[in-house]
Amino acid sequence: MNKKDIRISRSDEDLTESIITSLRLFHEECALFDNGNLARFITLANHLRRILHNTNHCKSDVEHLCKIAERKTTALIFLDTAIPYNTSCLNGNCRLTTTYQYAQVTAQNGNLTGLAQIPHCLHPNPNKHLKTSLIPFEHWWSKNEIINSQDKSLCFTRKELVTHIADTDGGAHHDNGLIKKYYTITREQKLSNMDTSFLINNKQFPKSETQMAIRQIAHECLISLKQNFPILLKDV
């Protein structure tokens, strides 16, 4: 795109309809992930980046919606489903996943049971174990750490996790090198000592807690957008 290209301003209606279409696709990607297409976490990260992240050159969907609705981003309240940090996990833990006791049947080993970490929204009884809160958008996005560790250099906010995936690890680009702390939690060590590869209804669930965290962020994001813009997004 040439910087000298002439730009034609879009109407609020045109921009809103485009955002609604993208959010419908976002919702469909969540369903595909839930049905076992785990690679969709990369697409989810791309959607989250577009919806939530401002850059020097591009406004986020949230910024556009605020302008159309004549609201300030500082007035937005987002759903926070992060659980308290479990300091007993030496490698750290993801606050957007929950422990799930599963049972599966395999041809080789018969009946298997164990514990795994899954997104809160995919737990069979999500409201039974979860205490949610509403917090300011900016704190939710860029200040609230959802991956905690005794090693403070391995902590992540939602913004950090989403933009690392979308910008460097298969979203918009495949970078030759990854930031050390992101490489560590995605390649070198698990965030817990539990098995995170398991089946529910014959669907393989993620081996990576970071993938599951992206799914939970997507869940929080969709609910929060509809709560903050109920009229504009009534058809999503």
Side-chain angles (χ1 to χ4, degrees):
M1 183 171 56
N2 194 321
K3 291 183 179 180
K4 295 182 180 180
D5 287 342
I6 297 174
R7 286 175 173 260
I8 307 298
S9 295
R10 303 173 69 175
S11 67
D12 288 349
E13 292 77 13
D14 179 49
L15 189 55
T16 300
E17 185 58 36
S18 182
I19 291 173
I20 288 173
T21 298
S22 295
L23 290 176
R24 286 172 178 161
L25 291 173
F26 182 38
H27 192 275
E28 290 175 7
E29 293 292 336
C30 289
L32 289 170
F33 180 96
D34 297 349
N35 283 324
N37 194 337
L38 306 182
R40 296 291 175 175
F41 86 94
I42 297 175
T43 313
L44 291 179
N46 279 344
H47 277 287
L48 288 165
R49 184 190 184 284
R50 186 199 69 251
I51 293 166
L52 304 165
H53 185 52
N54 282 321
T55 70
N56 292 332
H57 305 289
C58 300
K59 290 183 178 180
S60 66
D61 287 354
V62 163
E63 195 76 26
H64 287 306
L65 290 169
C66 281
K67 182 177 181 297
I68 294 168
E70 298 182 343
R71 298 189 63 186
K72 294 182 178 180
T73 55
T74 53
L76 302 182
I77 300 297
F78 267 55
L79 174 67
D80 178 24
T81 62
I83 59 176
Y85 171 38
N86 182 1
T87 56
S88 65
C89 294
L90 298 180
N91 290 339
N93 71 309
C94 177
R95 299 172 59 217
L96 296 180
T97 63
T98 188
T99 304
Y100 175 73
Q101 185 169 5
Y102 68 92
Q104 64 187 52
V105 179
T106 66
Q108 294 81 15
N109 301 311
N111 294 325
L112 297 176
T113 60
L115 297 177
Q117 294 293 311
I118 62 173
H120 299 316
C121 62
L122 296 184
H123 193 282
N125 298 299
N127 298 323
K128 187 175 182 179
H129 74 284
L130 195 60
K131 293 182 179 179
T132 63
S133 60
L134 297 173
I135 61 177
F137 165 69
E138 190 57 39
H139 185 79
W140 176 89
W141 177 232
S142 60
K143 296 180 181 179
N144 188 10
E145 292 178 343
I146 48 90
I147 293 178
N148 289 108
S149 173
Q150 293 182 8
D151 181 350
K152 296 301 181 182
S153 69
L154 298 179
C155 296
F156 280 81
T157 63
R158 291 174 177 85
K159 178 180 177 180
E160 288 176 311
L161 183 60
V162 167
T163 54
H164 275 299
I165 294 171
D167 292 343
T168 70
D169 197 16
H173 305 281
H174 285 101
D175 284 9
N176 289 332
L178 299 173
I179 298 298
K180 182 179 179 180
K181 73 172 187 175
Y182 175 76
Y183 184 91
T184 299
I185 69 160
T186 57
R187 269 76 172 176
E188 291 185 339
Q189 68 182 42
K190 291 182 179 179
L191 293 173
S192 70
N193 295 321
M194 297 180 186
D195 177 24
T196 53
S197 176
F198 63 100
L199 300 172
I200 295 180
N201 296 330
N202 295 319
K203 299 169 186 174
Q204 187 74 29
F205 272 68
K207 295 181 179 180
S208 168
E209 288 184 57
T210 54
Q211 294 178 16
M212 292 184 281
I214 290 295
R215 176 63 184 91
Q216 186 64 22
I217 295 171
H219 171 77
E220 295 175 329
C221 179
L222 280 169
I223 290 176
S224 299
L225 287 175
K226 296 194 71 171
Q227 289 177 341
N228 281 282
F229 305 102
I231 297 176
L232 286 177
L233 302 182
K234 66 181 185 300
D235 295 327
V236 174

